[in-house]
Amino acid sequence: GSLLATFESSRYNEWGDARPDFQLADVFGVHSTGEVIGPQANSYARIEQPHPVLQGFNGTVLLPAAESRVPVKSASPLALSIVPSYPTFPPEMVYPRTPRTTEHAAVFREAGKSRIAYFAGDLDRTCWRSGNADLSQLLQNAVKWVQGDDPVVSISGHGAIRHTYALGPQQVRFRVSRGGSIKSVRSLRSSANLSFQQQSDIVSFEVPGIADYEVISLVANR
């Protein structure tokens, strides 16, 4: 079988007492080296080498990481490393003091036909709380990779984090200056001319729908 795990999985016994190391350390391929770090104001990871779980992040070597993490060590190849947290204010201090480390942010390993993906941080919780699309993509990639090339079950479709949900028609009433006359109404985002009515100084029109944002231009007769 294959396994995807995050953060403190298997770090506590049935009574909730902390173990000195992960119970599944040999499965994860990592060992805990200290107590939980975080929550942190900012958290990043660096792509050190290509891996299927890291596909789709072209043009960057830095990814958002989890709010909290367990410091770990591993003998596995370093694919995703920790960028230590740094101040978020004042602006001139916002930079990593140690831009590169050898601490694993995640471990991806194969044992026979099994695939194991372990993330040292609470990536799933951080994704849920932040709605970050990159974290969502990272988790989706990990799920697909541990499933293998011919999974028993696969699902594809739009998700709540990576896509917007359009609003329906919106009715707008706009008061122009007294005596003003409007000759056209146009939605700039969707590049469409809109039908409108003007009665005295009130202009009425309908915006058919809004995906993410819209800008309406009213052009006056001169």
Side-chain angles (χ1 to χ4, degrees):
S2 296
L3 179 67
L4 168 60
T6 66
F7 199 36
E8 294 187 286
S9 298
S10 81
R11 199 162 180 248
Y12 298 88
N13 65 17
E14 66 272 27
W15 302 107
D17 299 323
R19 295 186 169 105
D21 198 358
F22 301 108
Q23 182 73 2
L24 297 177
D26 58 336
V27 176
F28 297 162
V30 302
H31 294 279
S32 170
T33 61
E35 296 304 313
V36 170
I37 298 173
Q40 298 174 312
N42 57 59
S43 182
Y44 294 93
R46 177 184 291 275
I47 298 175
E48 299 289 352
Q49 60 177 294
H51 191 276
V53 176
L54 304 176
Q55 287 182 350
F57 298 109
N58 301 329
T60 185
V61 295
L62 293 177
L63 296 178
E67 281 189 328
S68 301
R69 76 176 195 275
V70 179
V72 298
K73 64 179 180 180
S74 174
S76 298
L78 185 63
L80 194 64
S81 67
I82 290 291
V83 176
S85 184
Y86 49 86
T88 57
F89 187 84
E92 60 270 19
M93 301 299 290
V94 182
Y95 64 91
R97 274 48 175 179
T98 307
R100 203 172 214 122
T101 71
T102 57
E103 182 183 345
H104 289 73
V107 171
F108 312 121
R109 55 190 296 264
E110 298 183 58
K113 294 183 179 181
S114 298
R115 290 179 173 178
I116 298 95
Y118 169 76
F119 291 94
D122 57 349
L123 201 72
D124 39 0
R125 172 186 174 276
T126 303
C127 177
W128 178 255
R129 285 172 57 86
S130 67
N132 187 285
D134 286 341
L135 295 180
S136 172
Q137 185 62 56
L138 196 58
L139 286 169
Q140 290 178 62
N141 288 353
V143 170
K144 291 176 181 176
W145 181 70
V146 298
Q147 281 184 314
D149 299 327
D150 187 23
V152 176
V153 178
S154 62
I155 301 173
S156 60
H158 295 313
I161 293 178
R162 297 194 65 83
H163 298 275
T164 57
Y165 293 86
L167 296 176
Q170 305 292 308
Q171 285 72 41
V172 182
R173 297 175 73 252
F174 191 92
R175 178 178 285 109
V176 298
S177 58
R178 188 173 299 276
S181 175
I182 299 299
K183 69 176 182 179
S184 67
V185 176
R186 183 171 177 80
S187 58
L188 303 184
R189 178 73 170 88
S190 56
S191 299
N193 292 315
L194 304 180
S195 298
F196 70 96
Q197 293 182 338
Q198 180 171 1
Q199 294 182 344
S200 183
D201 58 349
I202 299 296
V203 177
S204 302
F205 56 90
E206 180 180 276
V207 180
I210 301 175
D212 44 9
Y213 73 92
E214 188 57 87
V215 178
I216 305 299
S217 170
L218 281 70
V219 180
N221 286 303
R222 296 185 183 278

